[in-house]
């Protein structure tokens, strides 16, 4: 058993955003699977929240849009709260997109109760500003904000004592993000969650968070979460923010987390897996496109590969399996992956993403003055974040705007997903 979390040196925590398919798979009895699992494994051994799993990583995110409707055991409903941490996403966009087939007013009540029962920390149901693009005839910025404020106030008023909730901040640009923050900042909650088009803009949010702390609105917070990102470079910058805030607030109990469904949405839909952390040198620093994931996509149809060979990529699961264990499809007329293989792939991919993110943090901690593998924009971003909170020098920070906005520009150019 490998415990990935034990080596983390005060890093920002990545939360794999488990989907319902995988959450249920890990708790199904052997008789419920269409074929036996390879190497004598049980599905329960793929539950990485369990210390007895094939690898152990006790941090994850799950959405209320699935959790509220779960009627059978999952790795979420049956986890041990003493050995794992779960952040409950509100499922707000699922309501807006039509994936949740009930009114916002009733879903927010059920979402809150699910969070109280199953999660360490949760989000009140928000209406993301992305809904404006999805349903421009229904949603405006003002409607998104008002609905989120109303749902947040409902959650504050109706939550059980001790429930830890994060205020969700949205916005499609700086103007909207400022307007949103101006009204949300008076809600004193366990912490904040950053969403929307600006969520990876470290130039904007580091200054905004510092000002909100200085003005007495966020000086109490214990948790900051960034919604929907898996970039290793972002992980390093969030680690810098976490460490800088520990010093600025003079306490070490503030957690910084971020999540992505890449291991479940992309791996299961397209057979795409991570090979490791992309590295490359330009002069004496990592190249601009380093600190991304190196990826490979398996064929989608059956019978295109030798199924008897060993699985070619290393992980606690991969080293036990053949290619056919993942891809049993034997004819071009059928998919290469079945339901068992897709979930095996998600387990492998989760481990690979966690490993790459950890490596990025470790390489940054090496802090080599010559020959660093860390991209220059990441190095400068890390230094700028620490300098801002240590000195308050805004002009120095503003001079690093291009480096601090590197990943947000990539996010916007990639249609708000960061699965590059």
């Amino acid at each position: 058993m490998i415990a990935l979390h034990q080596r983390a040196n005060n890093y920002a925590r990545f939360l794999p955003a488990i989907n319902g398919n995988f959450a249920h798979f890990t708790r199904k009895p052997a008789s419920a699977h269409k074929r036996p699992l390879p190497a004598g494994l049980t599905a329960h051994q793929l539950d990485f929240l369990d210390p007895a799993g094939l690898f152990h990583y006790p941090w994850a995110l799950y959405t209320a849009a699935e959790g509220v409707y779960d009627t059978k055991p999952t790795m979420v409903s049956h986890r041990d709260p003493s050995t794992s941490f779960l952040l409950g996403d509100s499922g707000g966009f699922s309501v807006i997109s039509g994936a949740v087939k009930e009114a916002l007013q009733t879903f927010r009540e059920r979402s809150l109760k699910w969070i109280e029962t199953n999660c360490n920390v949760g989000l009140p149901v928000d209406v993301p500003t992305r809904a404006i693009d999805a349903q421009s005839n229904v949603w405006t910025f003002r409607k998104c904000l008002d609905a989120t404020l109303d749902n947040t106030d409902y959650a504050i008023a109706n939550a059980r004592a001790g429930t830890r909730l994060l205020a969700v901040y949205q916005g499609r640009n700086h103007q909207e993000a400022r307007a949103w923050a101006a009204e949300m900042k008076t809600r004193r909650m366990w912490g904040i969650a950053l969403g929307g088009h600006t969520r990876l803009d470290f130039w904007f949010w580091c200054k905004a968070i510092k000002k909100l702390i200085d003005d007495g609105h966020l000086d109490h917070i214990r948790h900051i979460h960034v919604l929907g990102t898996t970039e290793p470079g972002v992980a390093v910058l969030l680690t810098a923010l976490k460490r800088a805030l520990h010093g600025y607030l003079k306490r070490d109990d503030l957690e910084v987390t971020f999540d992505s469904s890449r291991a479940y949405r992309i791996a299961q839909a397209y057979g795409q897996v991570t090979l490791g952390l992309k590295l490359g040198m330009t002069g004496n620093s990592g190249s601009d496109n380093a600190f991304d994931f190196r990826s490979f996509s398996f064929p989608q149809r059956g019978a295109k590969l030798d199924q008897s060979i060993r699985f070619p990529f290393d992980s606690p699961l991969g080293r036990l399996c053949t290619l056919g264990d993942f891809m049993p499809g034997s004819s071009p007329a059928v998919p290469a992956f079945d339901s068992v293989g897709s979930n095996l792939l998600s387990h492998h991919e989760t481990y690979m993403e966690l490993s790459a993110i950890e490596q990025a943090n470790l390489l940054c901690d090496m802090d080599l003055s010559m020959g660093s593998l860390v991209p220059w924009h990441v190095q400068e971003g890390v230094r700028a974040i620490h300098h801002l909170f240590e000195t308050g020098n805004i002009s120095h920070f503003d001079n690093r705007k291009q480096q601090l906005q590197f990943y947000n520009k990539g996010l916007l150019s990639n249609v708000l997903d960061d699965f590059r």
Side-chain angles (χ1 to χ4, degrees), residues 1 3 9 40 46 76-77 84 99 103 112 120 187 193 202 238 275 295 326 358-359 363 376 385 416:
M1 186 271 291
N9 183 23
L46 304 186
V76 169
S77 64
S84 62
L112 177 61
N120 299 84
R187 278 74 176 174
F202 286 87
L238 287 174
L275 305 184
S295 298
F326 284 82
E358 181 187 57
Q359 184 183 19
L363 287 171
W376 179 250
I385 291 169
L416 296 183

Side-chain angles (χ1 to χ4, degrees), residues 3-4 24 47 53 71 79 91 104 146 151 158 171 178 186 207 230 234 251 276 288 304-305 312 315 339 367 390:
L4 281 174
H24 284 90
D47 178 358
T71 58
R79 73 184 179 92
L104 195 61
D146 285 344
N151 292 338
N158 291 278
R178 289 190 188 97
T186 58
K207 291 196 295 184
T230 188
V234 170
R251 61 171 195 265
D288 284 349
K304 292 188 176 183
L305 297 170
S315 71
S339 60
D367 193 26
E390 289 169 1

Side-chain angles (χ1 to χ4, degrees), residues 13 28 35 42 61 111 140 149 174 183 212 237 239 259 291 295 327 334 337 342 359:
R13 302 283 189 177
K28 286 182 179 178
R35 61 181 173 93
T42 65
L61 177 143
S111 177
T140 64
L149 291 172
H174 292 162
E183 298 196 40
L212 289 167
L237 293 170
T239 290
D259 77 270
F291 272 32
S295 298
M327 306 171 67
V334 300
F337 292 90
S342 292
Q359 184 183 19

Side-chain angles (χ1 to χ4, degrees), residues 38 42 79-80 95 189 202 233 235 261-262 273 288 306 349 383 403:
T42 65
R79 73 184 179 92
D80 182 350
V95 177
M189 302 169 72
F202 286 87
S261 62
R262 189 177 192 268
V273 293
D288 284 349
D306 182 353
E349 174 65 13
R383 286 191 282 263
Q403 290 81 17

Side-chain angles (χ1 to χ4, degrees), residues 92-380:
F93 193 76
S94 296
V95 177
I96 305 309
S97 67
V100 172
K101 308 296 185 182
E102 65 177 294
L104 195 61
Q105 296 290 320
T106 58
F107 179 71
R108 71 182 187 182
E109 179 181 357
R110 299 179 68 184
S111 177
L112 177 61
K113 290 181 179 177
W114 175 79
I115 286 169
E116 290 174 332
T117 302
N118 294 280
C119 305
N120 299 84
V121 176
L123 277 56
V125 177
D126 64 305
V127 179
T129 45
R130 197 170 178 178
I132 304 168
D133 300 324
Q135 296 179 328
S136 59
N137 60 327
V138 176
W139 293 101
T140 64
F141 173 75
R142 188 69 243 178
K143 287 182 178 179
C144 290
L145 175 55
D146 285 344
T148 303
L149 291 172
D150 184 55
N151 292 338
T152 301
D153 291 340
Y154 168 84
I156 293 171
N158 291 278
R160 295 197 304 246
T163 301
R164 297 174 175 180
L165 298 171
L166 307 182
V168 184
Y169 286 65
Q170 292 279 347
R172 294 174 297 167
N173 50 53
H174 292 162
Q175 181 180 359
E176 288 186 353
R178 289 190 188 97
W180 192 290
E183 298 196 40
M184 186 62 78
K185 68 184 181 183
T186 58
R187 278 74 176 174
R188 292 182 66 84
M189 302 169 72
W190 187 253
I192 64 174
L194 304 180
H197 298 52
T198 69
R199 66 185 185 269
L200 304 187
D201 190 337
F202 286 87
W203 174 79
F204 176 82
W205 278 112
C206 287
K207 291 196 295 184
I209 289 169
K210 183 178 183 298
K211 187 176 189 318
L212 289 167
I213 290 173
D214 294 344
D215 291 345
H217 297 296
L218 295 184
D219 55 330
H220 65 287
I221 62 169
R222 297 294 189 271
H223 198 126
I224 296 174
H225 182 74
V226 176
L227 290 156
T229 182
T230 188
E231 288 278 5
V234 170
V236 170
L237 293 170
L238 287 174
T239 290
L241 177 61
K242 177 178 177 178
R243 292 172 175 176
L245 286 172
H246 284 183
Y248 194 65
L249 295 170
K250 294 182 172 56
R251 61 171 195 265
D252 59 3
D253 60 349
L254 181 140
E255 189 56 78
V256 175
T257 57
F258 58 107
D259 77 270
S260 170
S261 62
R262 189 177 192 268
Y264 308 92
R265 182 154 68 96
I266 302 302
Q268 292 185 4
Y270 305 110
Q272 179 178 306
V273 293
T274 294
L275 305 184
L277 185 66
K278 183 187 292 183
L279 298 173
M281 296 290 291
T282 301
N284 290 323
S285 68
S287 57
D288 284 349
N289 66 347
F291 272 32
D292 202 345
F293 290 128
R294 292 185 293 113
S295 298
F296 173 81
S297 294
F298 286 102
Q300 292 294 288
R301 308 307 295 178
K304 292 188 176 183
L305 297 170
D306 182 353
Q307 296 173 326
S308 66
I309 67 172
R310 303 303 299 174
F311 188 72
F313 307 124
D314 187 59
S315 71
L317 177 63
R319 65 184 66 121
L320 300 176
C321 298
T322 65
L323 200 55
D325 291 329
F326 284 82
M327 306 171 67
S330 57
S331 164
V334 300
F337 292 90
D338 61 359
S339 60
V340 172
S342 292
N343 283 293
L344 293 177
L345 199 66
S346 286
H347 184 272
H348 166 80
E349 174 65 13
T350 300
Y351 179 86
M352 295 303 296
E353 290 177 19
L354 288 166
S355 297
I357 288 168
E358 181 187 57
Q359 184 183 19
N361 274 300
L362 289 167
L363 287 171
C364 192
D365 275 350
M366 287 173 64
D367 193 26
L368 298 178
S369 58
M370 294 293 292
S372 174
L373 286 168
V374 182
W376 179 250
H377 62 85
V378 174
Q379 295 182 49
E380 280 293 280

